[in-house]
Amino acid sequence: MDRIDRKLLNLMQRDASRTNIDMADEVGLAPSSCLRRVQRLRKSGVIDRIVAILNPAKAGRGIKALVTVELKLHGETHMRRFLDIAVAEEAVSQAYSVTGETDVVLMLRLRDMEEFDALCERLFRDENNVARYFTMIVIRTAKEETAIRL
């Protein structure tokens, strides 16, 4: 990956809806060369996918919560089982197996507290492998970035 690839990737991370001609002009390439580079970056897996980033509040999911989960039973089988259940939940936008005092960290995007309560019943209270869970409702977001600076 060279300087031009990094420049293209930074442009696409800011706004992937830009035309190939616009990006080619900005990085100083012919449109065909620019397109080949982007296709190569996609094929190699550097570009994982191209998505639209929604405004959560306008999309009806204005409540954001972070949940840490401590499991009773550990090991890959138990972790995988819990994560499989968690990622199937519509409100779970991110799920991580982590090191430290907790086992799992979940990011939730919720419509309302009723949805949160129902999710807690299904995921934490009914799930016999959850020892404890702690919820933090996000009051203000200081930074939320999807771009990886290159």
Side-chain angles (χ1 to χ4, degrees):
M1 194 165 43
D2 64 12
R3 180 185 60 78
I4 293 174
D5 288 342
R6 287 190 294 278
K7 195 168 185 182
L8 281 169
L9 291 167
N10 283 330
L11 288 171
M12 291 182 74
Q13 286 185 104
R14 281 195 297 277
D15 183 2
S17 69
R18 294 177 71 164
T19 67
N20 181 60
I21 292 171
D22 181 43
M23 289 192 305
D25 185 52
E26 184 145 345
V27 300
L29 288 176
S32 58
S33 296
C34 182
L35 182 60
R36 277 193 300 277
R37 281 178 179 260
V38 171
Q39 288 171 336
R40 180 178 41 79
L41 290 165
R42 288 187 77 166
K43 187 175 182 178
S44 70
V46 174
I47 297 174
D48 188 40
R49 62 189 176 270
I50 298 172
V51 300
I53 299 173
L54 306 182
N55 178 312
K58 291 182 179 180
R61 296 211 166 258
I63 299 173
K64 182 180 357 177
L66 297 166
V67 181
T68 62
V69 182
E70 295 176 24
L71 301 176
K72 291 177 192 172
L73 303 172
H74 296 88
E76 183 61 28
T77 302
H78 300 293
M79 177 63 71
R80 176 59 29 217
R81 181 176 177 275
F82 179 78
L83 288 172
D84 287 346
I85 293 167
V87 300
E89 290 288 341
E90 190 175 287
V92 175
S93 62
Q94 298 173 39
Y96 304 98
S97 170
V98 298
T99 62
E101 293 182 20
T102 193
D103 297 304
V104 174
V105 176
L106 302 174
M107 168 72 76
L108 308 179
R109 289 291 190 167
L110 303 153
R111 285 187 295 273
D112 51 37
M113 292 310 289
E114 288 78 21
E115 181 183 25
F116 177 66
D117 185 48
L119 180 136
C120 288
E121 278 298 320
R122 288 188 307 276
L123 197 55
F124 308 129
R125 296 182 200 132
D126 290 345
E127 174 55 42
N128 61 10
N129 193 30
V130 174
R132 280 180 289 290
Y133 68 98
F134 301 93
T135 304
M136 296 161 277
I137 302 295
V138 176
I139 297 170
R140 180 180 307 120
T141 300
K143 182 177 182 178
E144 188 171 75
E145 183 69 41
T146 60
I148 297 170
R149 292 293 162 214
L150 303 172

